[in-house]
Amino acid sequence: MPSLRHLIEALEEAEKAKAPQYETAIRLIDQIVTKPGAAELYDLPELLEEQAGYYAKLGRFDQAIAAMKRAIAHGWEGEPDGRYRIAEFLLQAGRADEAHALFATMKDDNPDQIYLYNVAAMAYTDVGDHERALQWLTEGLDLALRTDDPEGIADQLSAIREKSLTALGPVPDELQDRVRRYLREAEKRSNGLLTRAPYEAAALALEDIGDTIDEVVAIMAWFPQADFAAATERWPWLKARWRAPNHEAYSRLLQRRLLSVSAIGVKPSLVAIKMDAYLLWCERQGLEPGHLDSRERYAAELAARGKTIPWPPGRNDPCWCGSGKKYKRCCGTVELAPRKVIEDWEIPF
């Protein structure tokens, strides 16, 4: 009998193979979840959710739904809850009425769950039902604007909505105009979140690297979850400046910056700011840690020393944000904003 470690390695090989190996992955997952100690080495709910996706790829939707129900029973966590995957499979299986009812129940249970509007719209878009996608996107955007878009998702909802509007025919749409006005005003309110000057300190530090850099690099700094909490406790005004009420929203906002930078051919150099090390560095340098310039200089120094986080990770690799989820199920779901690419590569920093 193969060991648990052997099974996990075989699964990773199957997932990374160029040609789809869905049947192999399904079989290996069945073996892994029954092995003693599997829960200590693998996130079983996420593993079962992956299996559900493989069943769906093969068109075996009843089994996909059963696997997703097992994932939920094992404690699958996410926003929105795992029922949205079941609704997706129902749509793909042609069982639209059941999908409509399930999505409606989820909305009744939590009408302010903004990501539900996002995933429902994408699910309907994927099966070509742009009318229902438009309904969900309209409600989602209305919710985002009414609540001042705390998750920073209005631009993504607007981008998807634009696709549905285009598919349904060129019609004037007041809401899209309202979203564009809102995003412009949000940039101004954010005290320079998107419009501050470029990283002069970072550029100076990169000059010291000399010819070792053969491409344009944008330094982007990020607080891991514990350090995000420490930073926002020390400087409470940061949450308002970043317009990020929690670490997930903050990381997804940064993901959009990373995508925007990459879209113009600039390589993002992502570094993690650890508060203890940063405060000590500021003390030694005689700098005020609350100043933007200090954080820029520290980020530039980390990048110059090669202390960077690989980005983007592989689709099946752990997400760079530290959530523990696979990239494709976490920050990898964020889409490039449709608005003007950020000229100065600014970040929620």
Side-chain angles (χ1 to χ4, degrees), residues 16 30 61 66 80 115 179 189 205:
K16 292 178 180 178
D30 278 336
F61 297 109
Y115 290 117
V179 171
R189 292 200 312 270

Side-chain angles (χ1 to χ4, degrees), residues 39-91:
E40 282 71 45
L41 292 177
Y42 225 106
D43 184 339
L44 296 188
E46 182 178 341
L47 192 61
L48 289 166
E49 190 254 353
E50 290 292 329
Q51 186 185 56
Y54 297 140
Y55 276 126
K57 293 283 188 182
L58 294 170
R60 291 153 61 179
F61 297 109
D62 286 342
Q63 289 167 296
I65 291 168
M68 193 62 214
K69 287 180 177 178
R70 289 177 67 197
I72 295 170
H74 276 75
W76 190 90
E77 294 181 352
E79 293 185 358
D81 68 69
R83 290 177 294 173
Y84 88 88
R85 290 287 279 156
I86 295 175
E88 288 179 346
F89 299 146
L90 289 169
L91 279 177

